[in-house]
Amino acid sequence: MFSRLRQFRLPLILLIWTSLALGSLAYNLYGIKSHTLAMASSAASERINQDMRIRQWATNHGGVYVPPNQQTPPNPYLNHPQRDVTTTSGIALTLMNPAYVLRDIHENYGDPEGILTRIISLAPMNPQNAPDNWEIKVLNQFKHSLEPVQELREYNEETYLRLMKPFIAQASCLKCHAQQGYQVGDVLGGIGTAVPIKLFSYFYEDRGMKLVWSHMLIWLIGVAGFGLGWRRERFLNTERLHKTKQLEENEALYRTMTNNGQALIWIADLDKLCTFFNRPWLDFTGRTLDQELGNGWTVGVHPDDLTHCLNTYQTAFDARQKFSMIYRLKRHDGEYRWIVDEGTPRYDAQGQFVGYIGHGLDITDVREARTEIDYLTNFDLLTQLPNRQLITQYLMNTLQTSKKTQQYGAVILIDLDNFKLLNESQGHDVGDELLQKVAVRLTDLTQSQAKLGRFSGDEFMILLENLSNNIERATTKTNQFIQTVMQTLGLPYQLAHHDYQTTCSVGVMLFQGDHHLVDDLIKSTEVAMYRAKENGRNTFKFFDPSMQVLVMKRSELERDLRSAINKQEFVLYLQPQVDQDGHIMGAEALIRWAHPKLGILTPGEFIQLAEETGLILPLGHWALQQACQILVRWATQPALASLTLSVNISARQLHQTDFVEQTLHLIEQCGANPHKLKLEITESMLVVGIHHVMSKMHQIKANGVRFSLDDFGTGYSSLSYLKQLPLDQLKIDQSFVQDILIDKNDVAIAKMVVALSESLGLDVIAEGVETLEQQAVLAQLGCFHYQGYLYGHPSPIDEFETLVLEANAV
């Protein structure tokens, strides 16, 4: 029975999956339809309320006197002693009661969207107010219940949402309706409206089509997954069928492999004595098994190699580590042959160490062996490029050649930007893949015109020779070559099935002759590379002696930064964020370093250094903790309790595996209101590990914390991912605001950000607003929240709070 069920398992799973997909589609389509009806109902209710407000106004003023004309003749159904009057100046006027006013509006100034509204009664004064069948039914219901009634009805071959509310007599109504016997509180009739459903059908059709396609895609993905799983199961079943047969053949196969081929196989027990040698070993030595067992095999080892051989064997045996050694072993004909012998620890089924198994190969071809050893010594196994040792030797040779030719050469050191972040977020396998692909591109660029090597982890070195005996021409050639390198390395990479784009920082040192020491030349190139990194990365710098001073200053600043974190020399400054009326609605927290010697330092002077050294992690945690404590204090002051506080989060923080737990624990520990906390991230964080970032953001957002995307429009974010991120706000970068009065491109970008925010249901704020003219342009584009010097500089917390309190007092 179970085997039969297993046969039909895949069709059953597909049936269930299809049912779930169809059920989800139907449920969501029903939700969209319900939302469509809700919008129509809201429009109908608003139209009735609008008419009621007009009618209330007219009723409170006893109607409206207007000169009679063909369009508005005297109301023949109005029995009022002052229906027609003449002013003292002789102008004839006729009284328009509220119903007449509304009817005139609807008949002569009809709704462009086709929304119909009218007042009806079971006993109308005007026959035009006579109800249709549906209205009669509803008016009769009002005798028992005053609840509004709405239904979908066909009218003139078109579907309308009809809504009717009871019209209750008030004291002012009796001026015209008292003669009909109505009293205050009686139901005079109803006021109803009919809204064409087609006004809202676009919403249902558009969202419905997207749902159909998305569910179809998900269904296809699921079907594909089930198909792959089914194929995998069939494969495993086939494997299981062969397993028994393979186990039976293993012993015979092991003996065949052991006693045939070229491998010299041996086995040793816990006492370090050999208990087995295979047939190729015995054939090679020409000795019997009994002669080789125990330590008998050592007789054939060359006397000069025996001590090294035994020490390597016994040391590895005691440490239970894999080992490899090369020694000479006497062959049956008396010739010593070079053997590479590798031993591996053996364990039984319970995981207990039981000895060693080893195999040796005859590698007497000394030239080939030396080539292999030289390769391992001088080449990087990952990229197959010359390693640091070999590229340094190349540099020494190049210097000697330059002395003879007096031609300039160049040392170029390339460092991949943000490589550590890639390793930390995606794993070293992905990082290794990037290094390999970078090596391939650099190899294609250099070919025979330059020497290339992997200098260290993510650093590559290129040596250019024979550039020119003129320094200007040599500099020009080097400059052109570096630009080609940076453009080539900047093209997208396909890593682990995801596109990835990187930049590099390059240091350059020109040389002529051998008067340069190799170590000094390399050190100077490194200094130039670090200078390129300090200048924002994705650039290159030629070495200048003044750079050495900057490097020393950088080292000193790094020492001070580490000390400052321990001594808590940092403070938070707050910059106001305002609405279109200039009211402060929140602030952005900006870190400052109160350096004991240099004074107050802004983030631009130390944040990049903190990122590169990893000190951004404790610094970012401190800033977030301070922000939470500020929110707790504000919550006790009515004038400050409504303010939000934004905190910048670095890429290294966000990519920590426990960032979600850290953040939520900190908020809970401080007792801060998460709904008042806003985390600002930048587009650069979305370049690496977008799915992991998205998952962390969703977890934090589920606990009430909001997200703002800072510097929007300056990075590489994909709109397909952007709409999936749990964002609350987009920030228009100050680089677009600065020239918005004179640069049409900046206007277009700002307009795009506003439109995108509206379509995604996000708030939008512009930073760097410094003039009223900039604010006016942004307001015209639809941006009504601002941040910049126009509204306040970043200031200490107490000064910011005073600013808010004074503004509220005014």
Side-chain angles (χ1 to χ4, degrees), residues 12-240:
L12 182 61
I13 291 175
L14 290 176
L15 178 61
I16 294 174
W17 174 244
T18 303
S19 301
L20 289 174
L22 291 175
S24 175
L25 177 61
Y27 176 81
N28 283 278
L29 288 175
Y30 176 78
I32 294 175
K33 183 175 182 181
S34 299
H35 186 60
T36 302
L37 293 178
M39 290 193 296
S41 177
S42 177
S45 181
E46 177 58 29
R47 181 52 55 87
I48 288 179
N49 292 338
Q50 176 183 334
D51 284 2
M52 289 297 289
R53 286 192 294 271
I54 296 173
R55 184 179 184 87
Q56 185 65 43
W57 180 87
T59 300
N60 291 341
H61 289 78
V64 179
Y65 281 95
V66 299
N69 54 36
Q70 184 177 0
Q71 183 175 311
T72 55
N75 187 353
Y77 307 104
L78 178 61
N79 186 12
H80 192 281
Q82 296 180 346
R83 186 193 72 177
D84 301 303
V85 298
T86 302
T87 66
T88 56
S89 59
I91 298 175
L93 299 175
T94 185
L95 178 64
M96 294 182 67
N97 63 327
Y100 196 21
V101 171
L102 287 173
R103 185 164 58 255
D104 182 67
I105 292 174
H106 294 153
E107 291 178 356
N108 298 298
Y109 307 91
D111 189 282
E113 296 178 339
I115 300 178
L116 309 175
T117 306
R118 71 188 194 118
I119 299 174
I120 45 87
S121 172
L122 290 175
M125 296 173 60
N126 185 344
Q128 294 183 14
N129 293 340
D132 58 26
N133 293 335
W134 182 80
E135 291 168 336
I136 292 173
K137 179 185 73 172
V138 175
L139 290 173
N140 286 324
Q141 288 182 224
F142 288 160
K143 296 178 181 180
H144 308 288
S145 172
L146 298 181
E147 292 295 322
V149 177
Q150 74 174 31
E151 287 184 24
L152 287 176
R153 306 287 295 184
E154 295 292 326
Y155 182 73
N156 291 336
E157 299 182 353
E158 188 174 342
T159 302
Y160 285 77
L161 177 74
R162 300 195 65 178
L163 173 66
M164 184 180 292
K165 296 183 178 180
F167 192 69
I168 310 300
Q170 302 177 7
S172 57
C173 300
L174 300 184
K175 182 177 181 180
C176 298
H177 292 283
Q179 59 179 320
Q180 294 177 278
Y182 288 107
Q183 298 180 5
V184 174
D186 290 346
V187 178
L188 294 177
I191 180 167
T193 185
V195 178
I197 293 299
K198 67 181 182 181
L199 295 177
F200 306 92
S201 60
Y202 75 94
F203 176 84
Y204 179 81
E205 294 170 357
D206 180 64
R207 292 292 299 276
M209 186 57 64
K210 290 179 179 178
L211 277 174
V212 169
W213 282 110
S214 62
H215 278 70
M216 183 178 296
L217 178 61
I218 293 173
W219 180 81
L220 289 173
I221 292 173
V223 170
F226 296 141
L228 291 175
W230 177 71
R231 289 188 61 184
R232 177 63 178 170
E233 184 176 9
R234 288 190 61 188
F235 173 79
L236 293 177
N237 287 337
T238 303
E239 287 289 300
R240 282 192 289 269

Side-chain angles (χ1 to χ4, degrees), residues 285-400:
T285 62
R287 291 160 57 84
T288 65
L289 179 60
D290 290 337
Q291 290 175 317
E292 296 290 277
L293 291 178
N295 284 328
W297 63 277
T298 60
V299 173
V301 178
H302 193 284
D304 294 340
D305 300 334
L306 183 58
T307 300
H308 169 71
C309 184
L310 291 177
N311 288 340
T312 300
Y313 174 79
Q314 293 173 359
T315 301
F317 202 103
D318 292 337
R320 299 181 183 179
Q321 294 178 343
K322 185 176 180 179
F323 69 88
S324 178
M325 57 184 176
I326 298 176
Y327 59 93
R328 285 164 288 182
L329 185 65
K330 184 185 289 186
R331 198 168 59 181
H332 58 83
D333 58 1
E335 179 185 354
Y336 283 99
R337 307 284 291 180
W338 286 98
I339 304 295
V340 57
D341 199 349
E342 293 187 353
T344 304
R346 290 189 300 123
Y347 298 89
D348 61 17
Q350 287 70 42
Q352 297 297 317
F353 175 73
V354 294
Y356 266 74
I357 182 172
H359 65 277
L361 290 175
D362 183 350
I363 55 168
T364 308
D365 190 344
V366 178
R367 182 177 181 180
E368 181 179 346
R370 285 180 177 175
T371 301
E372 180 68 19
I373 294 171
D374 290 342
Y375 186 87
L376 295 175
T377 303
N378 295 301
F379 286 83
D380 172 56
L381 294 180
L382 178 65
T383 62
Q384 308 302 310
L385 295 177
N387 60 15
R388 181 173 185 144
Q389 174 178 308
L390 185 55
I391 196 68
T392 302
Q393 182 62 48
Y394 285 163
L395 179 55
M396 294 175 63
N397 297 337
T398 302
L399 286 173
Q400 294 175 3

Side-chain angles (χ1 to χ4, degrees), residues 547-561:
M547 289 182 179
Q548 188 65 42
V549 177
L550 296 176
V551 171
M552 294 176 64
K553 288 183 178 180
R554 183 183 186 275
S555 299
E556 183 178 353
L557 188 64
E558 181 178 342
R559 290 195 300 270
D560 290 348
L561 183 59

Side-chain angles (χ1 to χ4, degrees), residues 398-626:
T398 302
L399 286 173
Q400 294 175 3
T401 302
S402 178
K403 179 183 179 181
K404 297 178 182 178
T405 63
Q406 289 301 301
Q407 293 279 320
Y408 278 93
V411 184
I412 302 172
L413 185 61
I414 302 169
D415 182 274
L416 301 181
D417 296 332
N418 299 315
F419 182 77
K420 290 182 180 178
L421 177 59
L422 177 68
N423 262 348
E424 292 171 358
S425 61
Q426 299 297 301
H428 289 277
D429 290 341
V430 177
D432 288 347
E433 185 180 1
L434 175 62
L435 293 174
Q436 290 173 327
K437 293 188 175 182
V438 167
V440 171
R441 293 187 184 183
L442 290 176
T443 301
D444 293 338
L445 281 176
T446 53
Q447 296 296 334
S448 60
Q449 64 175 320
K451 289 183 172 62
L452 167 68
R454 183 183 178 191
F455 192 68
S456 64
D458 61 329
E459 294 178 347
F460 296 85
M461 180 172 284
I462 298 176
L463 305 180
L464 299 181
E465 300 178 76
N466 300 322
L467 292 171
S468 173
N469 58 7
N470 180 279
I471 189 170
E472 293 181 358
R473 285 196 294 270
T475 302
T476 300
K477 287 184 178 181
T478 305
N479 195 327
Q480 293 172 347
F481 177 80
I482 294 173
Q483 289 182 2
T484 302
V485 168
M486 296 183 70
Q487 291 174 1
T488 302
L489 297 187
L491 298 175
Y493 298 85
Q494 184 74 16
L495 301 181
H497 309 296
H498 293 289
D499 285 337
Y500 177 77
Q501 200 161 8
T502 188
T503 57
C504 61
S505 300
V506 181
V508 192
M509 179 67 180
L510 291 176
F511 60 86
Q512 184 185 44
D514 66 345
H515 59 279
H516 296 279
L517 294 176
V518 171
D519 290 341
D520 291 342
L521 195 59
I522 292 175
K523 185 176 181 180
S524 298
T525 311
E526 289 178 327
V527 169
M529 184 270 290
Y530 286 128
R531 182 59 174 166
K533 277 191 172 295
E534 290 174 354
N535 280 17
R537 305 180 182 181
N538 192 24
T539 188
F540 65 93
K541 290 291 180 182
F542 281 80
F543 175 79
D544 183 89
S546 62
M547 289 182 179
Q548 188 65 42
V549 177
L550 296 176
V551 171
M552 294 176 64
K553 288 183 178 180
R554 183 183 186 275
S555 299
E556 183 178 353
L557 188 64
E558 181 178 342
R559 290 195 300 270
D560 290 348
L561 183 59
R562 294 183 185 277
S563 175
I565 291 176
N566 294 330
K567 295 178 180 179
Q568 295 188 353
E569 295 176 354
F570 299 93
V571 293
L572 284 187
Y573 274 39
L574 304 184
Q575 185 174 32
Q577 296 177 334
V578 304
D579 61 19
Q580 58 185 333
D581 298 320
H583 297 148
I584 298 176
M585 59 184 187
E588 180 180 1
L590 302 169
I591 196 167
R592 297 289 187 268
W593 179 5
H595 195 284
K597 296 180 180 179
L598 304 178
I600 299 298
L601 301 183
T602 61
E605 299 174 87
F606 63 87
I607 283 297
Q608 181 175 334
L609 180 60
E611 288 274 7
E612 294 174 0
T613 58
L615 296 175
I616 193 66
L617 296 179
L619 191 56
H621 186 273
W622 173 87
L624 186 57
Q625 182 183 46
Q626 294 296 307

